[in-house]
Amino acid sequence: IDEQKEIVDSYFSEEEAEHLLPAGDIHEFFEDPREEAVAKKKAVSLLPKEIDANLMDVTNPFSDGSSTAFFWHVPKCGGTTLQRLYWCMGFTLANEVGANPKFGYNERDDLIAFRPWDNNPGQVVNVDVSSHEGIMNAKKKGFLVNSLDPSHPHVDLISTTEFQFASMMLYTPEHQGRMFALFRHPVDRAVSKFFYLRKAKWEPTYNERWAGMSLDEWASRERGENNWMVRQLISKSNQEPLTSKDLELAKEIIRTKFVVGLMDQFEESVHRFNFLLGVDESDAQNNQCINEYTANEKSKS
């Protein structure tokens, strides 16, 4: 997280460009070291073609209208709190809320942003990007595809666990995703998941067998997932074996594409994401939201 801070602070870091340079003295051909970095990356990129093309590099400068922020929601890492914080600021999000039938907008063929709660300034778009089916339905409606069309609702960020599928279906080289995510120690995340899912009967991933288990018994017998983050990043099913190359690829995707925050450094992570999203922290309402939600997350620690 400390190493990424230089990138986030400037987005024009010469050190990052130098890190990407090949061995040997080729920089004499470039006046700007960033041009060297781009040339090197294009020559030897290890990433899948669609991921590399559809997602912005963390070193790329911002450009209006050509990207939409993409929050990869890793479960039990503070992502729900983070989304509530941005709703508090009046952001428009695309996750799964807007397609909830209780709001009455899920059957519409057109895209619309609306406020689901009277006492909250946040808005949602009437799509569900939490599943493959929902992502395909959103694409059919023209979500993000026609984002420059005046009739397309403004979207501040999308949030989903479906990293690979959303990256390939919703984004393009012409309209890229700018990735960010909150991470947590995997043991802490697994323990939090266990205690949550043993009581969360409303969740589709609820497992009634866990309700009667102790933590020790669950940890030794049924952990419920198998390298979930790596599999999501590289698109491998639970039935496919993982290799050290898979791990290295997942790490390279994070290194080159993600602005990273840590749950146990939630306040610092929020400030980092605010920079990414262009949040004015001097605004009184925004500042109140930041203080409220960072304090709530601290109280859980």
Side-chain angles (χ1 to χ4, degrees):
I1 195 168
D2 292 332
E3 291 176 1
Q4 269 207 349
K5 190 173 190 306
E6 293 182 9
I7 300 173
V8 177
D9 285 345
S10 68
Y11 279 88
F12 292 95
S13 170
E14 291 186 5
E15 294 177 5
E16 176 67 11
E18 289 293 333
H19 173 70
L20 293 171
L21 292 179
D25 189 20
I26 72 161
H27 60 272
E28 61 187 272
F29 297 105
F30 299 91
E31 294 183 0
D32 187 337
R34 286 169 292 167
E35 294 178 0
E36 290 182 70
V38 171
K40 175 63 177 175
K41 180 180 180 304
K42 286 182 178 178
V44 299
S45 177
L46 302 175
L47 307 188
K49 181 180 178 180
E50 293 84 358
I51 296 298
D52 201 24
N54 293 357
L55 302 178
M56 278 191 164
D57 286 358
V58 292
T59 52
N60 283 6
F62 297 110
S63 54
D64 295 334
S66 63
S67 66
T68 297
F70 180 174
F71 176 62
W72 183 36
H73 189 174
V74 180
K76 310 313 296 177
C77 291
T80 300
T81 299
L82 191 72
Q83 291 176 84
R84 289 171 177 167
L85 185 155
Y86 289 120
W87 272 322
C88 176
M89 293 182 182
F91 272 42
T92 299
L93 274 64
N95 47 21
E96 71 284 356
V97 174
N100 191 316
K102 72 178 182 180
F103 297 120
Y105 295 98
N106 57 306
E107 297 295 337
R108 291 182 57 150
D109 293 329
D110 60 335
L111 294 167
I112 185 172
F114 65 95
R115 287 177 58 185
W117 309 288
D118 292 336
N119 59 346
N120 189 310
Q123 295 193 96
V124 294
V125 181
N126 61 328
V127 295
D128 176 5
V129 295
S130 67
S131 67
H132 287 200
E133 181 182 4
I135 289 169
M136 291 304 298
N137 287 336
K139 185 174 183 178
K140 289 177 183 177
K141 288 184 177 183
F143 179 65
L144 295 189
V145 176
N146 303 313
S147 58
L148 296 180
D149 188 320
S151 65
H152 191 291
H154 170 76
V155 183
D156 290 299
L157 64 95
I158 80 164
S159 172
T160 178
T161 60
E162 296 288 345
F163 166 72
Q164 277 271 348
F165 200 72
S167 298
M168 292 188 291
M169 293 293 107
L170 298 179
Y171 292 100
T172 67
E174 293 71 37
H175 190 94
Q176 295 176 303
R178 188 176 282 278
M179 299 299 308
F180 66 111
L182 272 172
F183 293 160
R184 186 181 191 181
H185 191 288
V187 173
D188 293 338
R189 190 173 78 82
V191 170
S192 177
K193 176 183 175 180
F194 166 71
F195 283 112
Y196 175 71
L197 288 182
R198 68 190 302 212
K199 64 181 181 180
K201 295 182 179 181
W202 57 89
E203 290 282 5
T205 49
Y206 169 73
N207 191 332
E208 62 181 9
R209 291 180 298 176
W210 293 5
M213 283 187 180
S214 67
L215 178 59
D216 288 343
E217 184 181 11
W218 173 80
S220 63
R221 290 174 47 192
E222 279 201 52
R223 290 175 293 174
E225 63 181 49
N226 179 2
N227 293 293
W228 183 87
M229 291 179 67
V230 173
R231 293 182 183 281
Q232 279 287 324
L233 286 166
I234 68 169
S235 192
K236 270 197 172 183
S237 69
N238 284 335
Q239 288 71 44
E240 296 176 275
L242 292 177
T243 67
S244 58
K245 289 184 178 180
D246 293 330
L247 175 60
E248 292 306 313
L249 175 57
K251 289 162 63 177
E252 182 68 4
I253 291 172
I254 292 170
R255 186 185 73 81
T256 58
K257 300 296 184 180
F258 277 82
V259 172
V260 173
L262 299 177
M263 186 176 175
D264 60 3
Q265 298 181 41
F266 189 77
E267 185 172 0
E268 163 62 22
S269 299
V270 166
H271 292 308
R272 174 171 298 191
F273 297 155
N274 287 347
F275 179 80
L276 173 79
L277 298 169
V279 171
D280 179 6
E281 294 191 350
S282 66
D283 178 83
Q285 176 63 30
N286 291 347
N287 191 256
Q288 180 180 339
C289 295
I290 293 168
N291 291 336
E292 177 183 348
Y293 283 93
T294 55
N296 288 346
E297 201 59 39
K298 282 180 182 178
S299 68
K300 298 176 184 178
S301 304

